[in-house]
Amino acid sequence: MPAAGHNYGERMASTLVDLEHPSNRNEGFCAALELAVAAARELEPGPVPASRDAGLDERVQRDAILRLRSGATANPGLLSLLADGRFAEHFGDHEADDRDGADEVSRALAVPDLFCLASPPGTTRTLTVLEIVRAAAERGERVLIAAPTAPGVEAIVSRLPPGATVIRTDQAGSGPGSITAAADGVQHRVLSRSQAAARALEPWLGEPSPALGWLRRLTTALGEAAEARERAERAVAHRDATTRDTRLRLGAAARAAEQARDEAGAVVTGTAGEVERLTAALRRAEGSRLRRWSTGGLRRRLSDAVRVAAVARSAFHQTIAAYEESAHSLDRAVEQDGAVRAAADRAAFADLAALRALESAERSAHHLTRLLDGVDAAPKWTADPAGLAGFAEHCAAREPVLRGRAGLLREWRQRAARPTRQLHPELLRYADVVASTCLGAGRPEYGELEFDLLVLEDAARIPVPAALVPLVRARRAVLVGETRRPLLRDTEVVRAWVAARCPAGADPDELAALLTGSVFERVVARAPERNRAVTLW
């Protein structure tokens, strides 16, 4: 045992200073804190529970003391407050805060550093703490809830109203409220929100992908449609040529009837012209005194011309009827000709094949349009060779892009689905409320988190070194506890240990106070009236 005490003296010799000098009081307080951490290990009654990592507990306390000594605390006045009881000036409405009507919640949220709520355990204390947490979170502050043990944390967290994002860092495994469960929830929401996009892009994955298959069908169908259309055009040209040859071969009678019709038409035209000429001559003769003698001859000649014209018209109508009959007969003969019928059938089949090939291309284009829905802008297209070809070119240009996008999304979702701790720091950084035991709040994996408000529940059972772990991370704090609780350790045992082990130059009274008293007793005894409140139930 003396050897151990000698080691303490050597280790702390560099930190011991003249505590009588005012400028060194804070340094002496930090040195006493380090001694208290080291002494607590030996004064701990019984073996350390298997669930605790004593080495980690000491390390997080020493890290908090280091931050306190270097001034790297969220509240820059924390060291002066704990060492000398120097509370910050309250720049709010002092009178309003001190009025009888101001409740504990308003006063706790108004102080710029620490507020002490002295209250016995019970419903009133719990409801007050819950209201402080709720009000702080509602106005956008990040709140840290800490207690000496996990059940104390659970007593508050389990009764918080819904709405705020609450994460418990002391919750083992993946139970409700744990950071693992929160990370799983974020991963589940991310996967759920990206599921529709993943489903839409799924047809663009694979070698070949379903989308590429439909694109190839479209391209193939367009090629087949073009070839079929060429064959149909050749078949139509052959059909027309065969029809012309057959009409030439079978059309002698029709051509003769056509010639007779044309000749009869010429006769009708001639006789009608003669009638018009004679009619005009007769009118001139009747209007002239000199030529009245010739009107009789003109009338006879006109009468004969009219009869000839009537006969010509009758003959012309007969030749028209004969020609039409002959033309109809020729049409029927050509239509029933075997060579013509065969050529017409080939042309019809070729045209049908071209239409079916184009319809196949159109069906493929419709499938591709549905696959583009929700993943890319589908251009307007028309169901003709030019419109379908333009759509196929667009899809061919976009296919590698969409395939790459689908592959990246699948890989990202696979990674997002794996259990990971990478989300934990971000979740803690953006959570509204974080809850933990005092020592759990300083675990290395939680990084340099800082909070707007710390609610330290059951602070009358927490020694100062342990309370420092959450205190150095908060700009303001509310310490909740009850006064006149039993000391943390037996006074006689502590004084005997201090007398035997306290290094030269250290303040034994300060060390004894840190080993026996709680952070709540230390603060509430020095707090001004505006920084404390008392409830009796």
Side-chain angles (χ1 to χ4, degrees), residues 105-270:
V105 175
S106 301
R107 294 175 59 195
L109 296 175
V111 295
D113 43 18
L114 264 66
F115 183 82
C116 297
L117 176 63
S119 177
T123 303
T124 300
R125 172 166 141 178
T126 302
L127 292 178
T128 302
V129 170
L130 291 173
E131 183 61 20
I132 291 172
V133 174
R134 183 200 63 78
E138 276 192 356
R139 64 187 196 180
E141 296 186 349
R142 283 172 37 78
V143 183
L144 172 62
I145 300 174
T149 60
V153 177
E154 176 64 24
I156 299 177
V157 173
S158 62
R159 300 184 64 177
L160 284 174
T165 302
V166 182
I167 295 179
R168 289 192 57 180
T169 60
D170 64 325
Q171 182 81 23
S174 58
S178 68
I179 191 168
T180 302
D184 291 344
V186 170
Q187 288 177 290
H188 178 72
R189 289 193 295 273
V190 167
L191 293 173
S192 297
R193 291 175 182 176
S194 61
Q195 187 174 11
R199 285 181 177 175
L201 284 169
E202 190 71 24
W204 298 88
L205 279 174
E207 289 293 341
S209 65
L212 183 58
W214 283 111
L215 179 56
R216 289 176 177 174
R217 291 185 191 181
L218 172 58
T219 305
T220 301
L222 283 174
E224 292 175 351
E227 294 177 357
R229 178 51 55 193
E230 290 180 1
R231 290 193 296 268
E233 291 174 355
R234 291 195 298 269
V236 169
H238 179 262
R239 179 201 63 191
D240 294 343
T242 302
T243 300
R244 286 194 301 271
D245 293 343
T246 304
R247 292 185 72 87
L248 185 61
R249 176 169 52 86
L250 300 179
R255 288 193 296 273
E258 182 180 12
Q259 184 177 0
R261 182 204 62 186
D262 294 341
E263 292 174 353
V267 172
V268 168
T269 301

Side-chain angles (χ1 to χ4, degrees), residues 268-531:
V268 168
T269 301
T271 56
E274 181 64 16
V275 170
E276 291 178 0
R277 187 182 65 81
L278 292 173
T279 300
L282 180 60
R283 288 176 181 171
R284 287 193 299 270
E286 287 176 345
S288 174
R289 295 179 179 179
L290 299 177
R291 298 183 60 185
R292 289 181 180 176
W293 56 269
S294 60
T295 56
L298 288 173
R299 288 192 182 93
R300 287 192 298 271
R301 292 173 58 190
L302 178 58
S303 176
D304 293 339
V306 168
R307 285 194 298 271
V308 170
V311 172
R313 283 196 300 272
S314 176
F316 176 64
H317 288 305
Q318 291 176 359
T319 58
I320 287 176
Y323 167 74
E324 290 177 350
E325 178 64 27
S326 178
H328 288 314
S329 298
L330 178 60
D331 290 340
R332 288 193 297 270
V334 169
E335 184 179 347
Q336 295 174 0
D337 183 80
V340 172
R341 293 181 63 179
D345 289 343
R346 284 193 296 270
F349 285 129
D351 186 67
L352 181 61
L355 290 175
R356 287 179 176 174
L358 194 62
E359 289 174 355
S360 177
E362 184 180 356
R363 286 194 298 271
S364 300
H366 280 298
H367 277 286
L368 281 171
T369 301
R370 285 194 292 270
L371 296 182
L372 285 171
D373 186 28
V375 300
D376 200 30
K380 298 294 183 181
W381 52 271
T382 53
D384 56 75
L388 292 170
F391 180 66
E393 290 178 3
H394 171 84
C395 292
R398 297 298 298 165
E399 189 274 335
V401 176
L402 296 176
R403 174 160 38 90
R405 188 182 301 173
L408 287 175
L409 182 58
R410 170 183 280 184
E411 181 180 356
W412 180 82
R413 282 173 55 81
Q414 289 173 347
R415 291 183 179 181
R418 299 171 190 158
T420 179
R421 298 179 65 86
Q422 294 178 352
L423 285 173
H424 293 187
E426 292 300 316
L427 287 171
L428 291 173
R429 185 171 290 110
Y430 293 104
D432 300 311
V433 179
V434 176
S436 172
T437 59
C438 290
L439 298 178
R443 294 182 67 89
E445 59 264 33
Y446 301 143
E448 296 300 316
L449 292 175
E450 291 188 354
F451 298 86
D452 300 301
L453 178 67
L454 163 67
V455 176
L456 193 58
E457 170 63 16
D458 208 2
R461 295 175 52 199
I462 307 172
V464 176
L468 273 179
V469 177
L471 277 172
V472 297
R473 297 173 180 268
R475 298 176 181 86
R476 303 179 355 264
V478 176
L479 276 56
V480 183
E482 55 183 323
T483 56
R484 295 187 293 276
R485 276 190 55 85
L487 297 176
L488 299 180
R489 294 183 177 86
D490 185 87
T491 305
E492 297 300 325
V493 174
V494 169
R495 289 195 177 278
W497 189 95
V498 170
R501 302 293 181 82
C502 186
D507 185 348
D509 293 334
E510 184 75 273
L511 179 57
L514 291 173
L515 289 171
T516 58
S518 68
V519 66
F520 186 78
E521 291 171 343
R522 185 179 186 91
V523 174
V524 75
R526 306 178 182 185
E529 184 67 25
R530 64 177 178 269
N531 288 70

Side-chain angles (χ1 to χ4, degrees), residues 22-89:
S23 63
N24 292 328
R25 287 175 184 168
N26 289 351
E27 178 60 30
F29 176 68
C30 293
L33 285 171
E34 290 187 339
L35 283 171
V37 172
R41 184 173 64 252
E42 292 189 10
L43 294 173
E44 187 77 28
V48 177
S51 60
R52 278 183 51 191
D53 185 344
L56 179 60
D57 290 350
E58 283 192 32
R59 189 160 65 250
V60 298
Q61 291 178 83
R62 292 188 185 281
D63 289 343
I65 296 170
L66 180 61
R67 290 181 62 169
L68 186 69
R69 172 182 277 120
S70 63
T73 56
N75 176 7
L78 182 62
L79 178 54
S80 296
L81 189 154
L82 293 176
D84 299 325
R86 296 179 183 174
F87 285 77
E89 281 294 329

